Amino acid sequence: MPNQQSRSARLEARISPDALSMVKRAAEIQGRSVSDFVVAAAQEAAQRTIEETAIIRLSMEDQRALMEAILNPPEPNEALRKAADAYKRLVIESR
């Protein structure tokens, strides 16, 4: 059974008659109202989208390059040394 939290927000959308017919049929198949079906489908799609952004997908080549950089980091260059010095001045020494 869907979560029955209090409903205080409204969502409106315009869709084609064909799309509405399809949504109505799918809602009937699941034994839900059109509104409940649409809300559940939107929540599922939103959750899937959010989860997909939390996963970083790398090619095998990129995975190897990342592991190599972690296991054998390069020596800091001048720009990194300057950034570290600036960080120390701004954050660490100002405490």
Side-chain angles (χ1 to χ4, degrees), residues 1-48:
M1 191 96 200
N3 188 355
Q4 295 295 326
Q5 296 176 350
S6 66
R7 298 176 183 189
S8 60
R10 182 173 184 86
L11 175 67
E12 294 186 30
R14 293 209 173 272
I15 61 173
S16 71
D18 288 343
L20 179 58
S21 177
M22 187 185 325
V23 169
K24 284 181 179 179
R25 177 70 179 125
E28 288 173 6
I29 290 169
Q30 290 189 353
R32 294 178 169 196
S33 70
V34 170
S35 180
D36 285 342
F37 179 83
V38 169
V39 168
Q43 286 175 325
E44 289 169 13
Q47 184 64 38
R48 219 175 18 257

Side-chain angles (χ1 to χ4, degrees), residues 75-86:
E75 291 295 320
N77 61 19
E78 185 61 28
L80 184 57
R81 283 192 288 275
K82 285 182 180 179
D85 290 341

Side-chain angles (χ1 to χ4, degrees), residues 46-66:
Q47 184 64 38
R48 219 175 18 257
T49 300
I50 291 166
E51 287 172 358
E52 288 171 0
T53 63
I55 298 171
I56 298 172
R57 300 187 196 286
L58 299 174
S59 68
M60 288 301 293
E61 182 180 335
D62 290 338
Q63 290 177 39
R64 287 185 185 107
L66 176 61

